[in-house]
Amino acid sequence: MATRTAAARREEARAAYDAFLKECPTGQLLARISDKWVGLIVSALREAEDHCLRYSDLGRKIPGVSQKMLTQTLRSLERDGLVTRTVTPSVPVRVDYRLTELGHSLGCLLASVKLWAENHFDEVNAHRETYDEASSAP
């Protein structure tokens, strides 16, 4: 069995997680975290006091999300270790969602993307209009 140098082992490890490769599992993770609802839920939890919100508060904070999509997305975020779900037995039952440390680290990145979108929307929209006008010209 041939021995490998430390550099060769590092290169093999780097190639094992290359999102540009079709079979790489990091591509699936990128698809998950780039989902519209994931970004909005993680951002809402990050901006909340203590990074925690009730299910109903999340539903009100995020316009357009259906209960089904909110539930499915929260379950996937819990499965991935990005949020924790706490059920408090009461009438009615209270369900709180909180970012984990891993979720908070993602929230910091998504906050930057959200801020970029808010700061540059007018500029992007102007480019869209210019492009659309040029594309529709005879």
Side-chain angles (χ1 to χ4, degrees):
M1 183 161 152
T3 57
R4 296 183 324 254
T5 65
R9 287 193 303 272
R10 281 193 303 275
E11 185 57 35
E12 287 174 8
R14 190 175 16 254
Y17 289 115
D18 181 351
F20 289 113
L21 298 175
K22 180 180 177 184
E23 61 279 347
C24 182
T26 58
Q28 295 172 351
L29 182 56
L30 284 171
R32 167 72 51 80
I33 64 175
S34 64
D35 177 78
K36 168 186 174 178
W37 301 120
V38 168
L40 292 172
I41 290 169
V42 171
S43 294
L45 288 169
R46 184 179 181 276
E47 292 175 2
E49 188 175 325
D50 296 331
H51 308 297
C52 179
L53 286 172
R54 294 176 67 177
Y55 179 90
S56 57
D57 294 332
L58 278 165
R60 280 191 295 277
K61 177 108 175 135
I62 302 170
V65 68
S66 67
Q67 287 186 341
K68 179 182 178 181
M69 278 312 301
L70 182 58
T71 299
Q72 286 177 351
T73 305
L74 285 166
R75 282 184 184 152
S76 71
L77 290 171
E78 184 179 11
R79 180 176 182 250
D80 291 341
L82 300 172
V83 300
T84 57
R85 179 178 186 263
T86 304
V87 178
T88 305
S90 61
V91 178
V93 173
R94 178 185 171 123
V95 180
D96 294 295
Y97 292 89
R98 176 183 306 276
L99 287 177
T100 63
E101 188 175 325
L102 184 61
H104 184 71
S105 68
L106 174 61
C108 293
L109 296 171
L110 293 177
S112 296
V113 173
K114 179 179 170 282
L115 182 62
W116 183 91
E118 292 167 349
N119 288 335
H120 295 284
F121 179 78
D122 291 336
E123 185 179 353
V124 170
N125 198 44
H127 284 285
R128 288 176 177 173
E129 289 173 1
T130 302
Y131 180 90
D132 290 347
E133 287 172 11
S135 296
S136 64

